[in-house]
Amino acid sequence: VQLQASGGGLVQAGGSVRLSCAASGSIFSIGDMGWYRQAPGKQRELVAEITSGRSTNYADSVKGRFTISRDSAKKMVYLQMNSLEPEVTAVYYCAAQLQEYGSNLDHYWGQGTQVTVSS
């Protein structure tokens, strides 16, 4: 069972990026899914999360600019990032509660994808 994030890169200020994260393996169910980020010299922080019922929660700094969504059938979670500013430059990690067949729900991290916003 693993999470694979993609979609990061270098973008100019004011631009947009869409991150994707795919869960794979012998997955029985998926609970909450989310995106975190870690900037150089800072702790990892929550950016956005979405429950299995599609309730969402955002960090105050990204409200109105970032949108999290999920496709449960495809086992995917997305983060649409608009109106980007250099301050959001960080490694973005997807996370999810995944339950393997015959096991309990557990927390998993993806490998991270770099988003760099140039001014």
Side-chain angles (χ1 to χ4, degrees), residues 1-4 22-25 27 98 108-110:
V1 173
Q2 64 177 356
L3 295 169
Q4 181 74 34
S24 62
I27 297 171
L98 306 176
Y108 289 82
W109 291 99

Side-chain angles (χ1 to χ4, degrees), residues 52-97:
S52 57
R54 288 177 169 75
S55 294
T56 58
N57 178 48
Y58 294 92
D60 288 342
S61 61
V62 307
K63 285 179 180 177
R65 297 186 297 133
F66 291 10
T67 302
I68 189 170
S69 60
R70 64 189 285 170
D71 185 329
S72 296
K74 295 182 178 179
K75 301 184 179 68
M76 299 283 293
V77 62
Y78 307 96
L79 186 68
Q80 178 67 42
M81 305 165 61
N82 298 329
S83 302
L84 292 173
E85 301 172 344
E87 290 72 26
V88 307
T89 294
V91 177
Y92 284 73
Y93 298 89
C94 62
Q97 296 174 320

